[in-house]
Amino acid sequence: MTRIVVLISGRGSNMQAIVDAGIAGADVVAVISNRGDAAGLVFARERGIDTRIVDHKQFADRAAFDTALAATIDTFSPDLVVLAGFMRVLTDPFVLRYQGRLLNIHPSLLPAFSGLDTHRRAIEAGVRVHGATVHLVTPRLDAGPIVAQAVVPVLPGDDPAALAARVLREEHRLYPQVVRWFVEGRVAVDERGGVRVRGEGRSEQTMCVPQVDAG
Ligand code: GAR
């Protein structure tokens, strides 16, 4: 059984999608939040999943917080740590401790739009496609090896909320899929640092999404 600890900061809808996917061979053993009011904690408790709160405001600096967070995570002996809307920048020692078994989802097609406020920035940049990326976490923020991405069109009239909702629907398909691959032992990092998913079929389809005039 692959033991999974999920870290959240808020709504936790990606965590819910992973739990609801009922991935064979996977057990979400704990959900940990840096905020006591994270809505996702309610869902986890209802599902009988262990929850913990490690409040970053109780610690003097990032290093102290990350040390306490890692200590809490390690009580669950996870094989995989999943960042699902966990809105804290992590220190290098934390990231290195879980390297190779630490996944994150980011709401953009990385390396475009790392950081915050991705949907507004994508609209302002005039990109035609946007989406989400699941990557292995390395010390450089939002820059670890990409496992998979989901693409959505940016449509005329989109505001950040509409675009975020379209991306989020894809996040809920993408993240459970990547976790499933990981659990099945199919995610491998090659010699150049890129991720290969063993046994996944290739697609050479081209996507073309112009901004068309309604009239
Ligand atoms: C998701 O859109 C996720 O991609 C994003 O926060 C949201 C969390 O939603 N993550 C980041 O911005 C990380 N930098 P959720 O709590 O409902 O899963």
Side-chain angles (χ1 to χ4, degrees):
M1 207 40 113
T2 300
R3 297 173 61 80
I4 301 174
V5 167
V6 186
L7 305 191
I8 65 169
S9 294
R11 181 177 54 189
S13 69
N14 277 288
M15 175 272 294
Q16 295 185 33
I18 290 166
V19 170
D20 283 341
I23 299 165
D27 192 8
V28 177
V29 292
V31 173
I32 301 173
S33 175
N34 64 307
R35 298 176 57 113
D37 61 356
L41 291 171
V42 177
F43 168 89
R45 288 186 196 114
E46 282 171 4
R47 292 302 178 93
I49 300 169
D50 261 329
T51 60
R52 297 284 185 279
I53 297 156
V54 184
D55 180 353
H56 61 278
K57 294 193 291 297
Q58 305 295 318
F59 297 90
D61 52 28
R62 284 191 196 283
F65 170 68
D66 281 6
T67 300
L69 182 61
T72 303
I73 292 170
D74 289 350
T75 62
F76 295 99
S77 308
D79 304 296
L80 176 62
V81 178
V82 170
L83 306 179
F86 187 66
M87 305 306 278
R88 302 294 305 168
V89 173
L90 296 162
T91 57
D92 291 4
F94 180 96
V95 170
L96 294 172
R97 182 182 192 89
Y98 300 106
Q99 196 154 13
R101 54 185 175 122
L102 183 59
L103 287 172
N104 181 44
I105 191 161
H106 181 78
S108 77
L109 295 173
L110 289 172
F113 310 119
S114 65
L116 298 174
D117 215 3
T118 57
H119 308 301
R120 182 188 56 75
R121 289 161 59 211
I123 291 169
E124 285 176 7
V127 295
R128 299 292 180 255
V129 291
H130 183 49
T133 302
V134 174
H135 63 95
L136 288 165
V137 179
T138 55
R140 269 186 55 219
L141 184 71
D142 295 335
I146 291 170
V147 184
Q149 296 181 304
V151 183
V152 302
V154 181
L155 298 176
D158 268 350
D159 61 14
L163 185 54
R166 190 174 310 121
V167 171
L168 192 65
R169 275 197 299 278
E170 293 306 313
E171 292 186 42
H172 294 164
R173 285 154 31 102
L174 178 68
Y175 217 176
Q177 177 65 76
V178 171
V179 171
R180 187 176 293 114
W181 287 334
F182 190 96
V183 169
E184 292 170 352
R186 291 161 63 186
V187 176
V189 180
D190 68 21
E191 62 285 352
R192 291 190 312 195
V195 172
R196 296 283 168 274
V197 179
R198 292 193 202 94
E200 240 348 81
R202 259 170 236 267
S203 165
E204 296 200 0
Q205 206 177 10
T206 304
M207 285 188 60
C208 178
V209 184
Q211 190 81 298
V212 288
D213 222 325

